[in-house]
Amino acid sequence: VFAHIPPHAQRISVAKKRDRHTLPQDAINALIVAHVKTGAIVVRLKGGDPFVFGRGGEEVEAVRAAGLPVEVIPGVSAALGCAAEAMLPLTHRDWSSAVSFVAGTCKGLSEQNWSGLAGHGRTLVIYMGVTCAGAIADKLMAEGVSPGIAVAVLERGTLPGARAMRTLLADLGDLVEREDVVSPAILVIGEVVLLSDAENKLAALAGRAEALA
Amino acid sequence: VFAHIPPHAQRISVAKKRDRHTLPQDAINALIVAHVKTGAIVVRLKGGDPFVFGRGGEEVEAVRAAGLPVEVIPGVSAALGCAAEAMLPLTHRDWSSAVSFVAGTCKGLSEQNWSGLAGHGRTLVIYMGVTCAGAIADKLMAEGVSPGIAVAVLERGTLPGARAMRTLLADLGDLVEREDVVSPAILVIGEVVLLSDAENKLAALAGRAEALA
């Protein structure tokens, strides 16, 4: 995308990293509004899809509240891009008839209501969940999801060095630690994971344990 | 996309219409496999995203079962494209923390388990639901979703002649009839609909009723 930016365009980075935002969301909204007001054409480039955990809705509201025009162009959302790379069908006639997207940031995790989103016949995709993967697994199991359901961890999906790993829900937190998984990563929970190319890290672990015995 | 097809490429249409498929899925799978076996590079072009109600998973399985290589490239899924056009954020920090996609084809609708996917704080997107919109509304209300929750009908989203309409869940079936909504259309259920540009068709109806009185 950067290659398409004309040389005379002014670029402003508001890059976010977990707990280290260059600018808070309010300041980003204000910056967009201020520049649109000058008559400039402002392109707010967001990773993934602006309307799926992208806070695009809030940025649109800010621009509209200032009485200014705005348009939204969607991209390939992270779940779709990572799933395609890992050959993981998010829905499948035989295995899953519903797919849900939630955000797994640690802040407010306990207050989030995910009841019923994961389990037999359903696919749950968790954005931004890698740093509290263990707490996410505990939360889902406490809500009745089977500890034996398949989980994929899609690290750096669609980027150089991407890794697709799978295990069972009960091992999710341990897998993330053992493999030093870092953000960005998407977690996928559901039977469709078994159809994917994600490497079975539990089998690999069992193999190592056997070799040691 | 069609403009990028080189002139020497052989094109085979397997276009599907509801209840009038040119070719059944098994025959599509067999056709893909037969052509890949000849050594040809086969591009299976699918509307929207291949892994969200696209049966891409089944086509991948068929090719792999024949021992042949396959790759999947995702597109902008219908929910994302239609939502962006209608300025409808699928998730929003203040209004919705989960978005789910299901298919609303009439066949098997009563057996589908959607419990908990719609309601306060959640967005439910229904693909292929326009022909049984009334039954979908009844199903959701029977499962406890409020008749007063906002619903958007995004007809021909991203295509010429697109219409974005909204009403309340209890009126969904009637709206589809009154407005002669035709496929393709996406249904979105949730509070985020109120943030969108979808025209309030219930208010329009109330206005007309008042004018008549």
Side-chain angles (χ1 to χ4, degrees), chain A residues 82-208:
Chain A
C82 297
E85 183 176 61
M87 211 63 91
L88 195 169
L90 294 168
T91 68
H92 188 290
R93 194 157 283 226
D94 298 329
W95 298 102
S96 173
S97 60
V99 55
S100 303
F101 300 164
V102 298
T105 45
C106 302
K107 200 176 150 190
L109 185 64
S110 60
E111 288 131 59
Q112 284 224 42
N113 170 18
W114 294 350
S115 64
L117 297 181
H120 183 63
R122 291 185 173 186
T123 308
L124 177 62
V125 181
I126 302 173
Y127 283 63
M128 298 171 281
V130 74
T131 51
C132 50
I136 285 171
D138 289 344
K139 176 185 177 72
L140 287 169
M141 290 186 292
E143 283 173 358
V145 181
S146 164
I149 202 165
V151 181
V153 177
L154 308 176
E155 183 191 36
R156 293 182 59 80
T158 78
L159 298 172
R163 289 195 294 169
M165 296 162 276
R166 72 174 162 88
T167 187
L168 305 179
L169 182 58
D171 180 52
L172 174 60
D174 289 340
L175 167 77
V176 164
E177 276 197 24
R178 281 198 311 273
E179 299 288 338
D180 286 324
V181 177
V182 292
S183 292
I186 287 272
L187 312 178
V188 185
I189 294 154
E191 288 135 342
V192 285
V193 164
L194 298 174
L195 304 173
S196 76
D197 284 347
E199 192 191 346
N200 184 348
K201 289 291 184 180
L202 200 62
L205 193 71
R208 277 210 296 280

Side-chain angles (χ1 to χ4, degrees), chain A residues 13-29 44-47 53-56 58-59 128 183, chain B residues 93:
Chain A
S13 168
V14 292
K16 288 181 177 186
K17 283 199 172 149
R18 190 173 55 89
D19 303 333
R20 280 193 56 193
H21 293 195
T22 311
L23 275 183
Q25 187 65 48
D26 285 353
I28 293 174
N29 296 356
R44 165 67 167 126
L45 193 61
K46 298 176 76 74
F53 307 116
R55 303 189 73 169
E58 291 163 73
E59 295 181 8
M128 298 171 281
S183 292
Chain B
R93 193 159 284 225

Side-chain angles (χ1 to χ4, degrees), chain A residues 51 53 55 58 61 64 70 72 74 84 87-93 98-101 113-115 122 197, chain B residues 51 53 55 58 61 64 70 72 74 84 87-93 98-101 113-115 122 197:
Chain A
F51 278 175
F53 307 116
R55 303 189 73 169
E58 291 163 73
E61 276 170 46
R64 290 187 151 186
V70 59
V72 174
M87 211 63 91
L88 195 169
L90 294 168
T91 68
H92 188 290
R93 194 157 283 226
V99 55
S100 303
F101 300 164
N113 170 18
W114 294 350
S115 64
R122 291 185 173 186
D197 284 347
Chain B
F51 279 175
F53 308 116
R55 301 190 75 168
E58 292 165 72
E61 276 169 47
R64 290 186 150 187
V70 58
V72 174
M87 212 63 90
L88 195 168
L90 294 168
T91 68
H92 189 289
R93 193 159 284 225
V99 55
S100 303
F101 301 165
N113 170 18
W114 293 349
S115 63
R122 291 185 172 187
D197 284 347

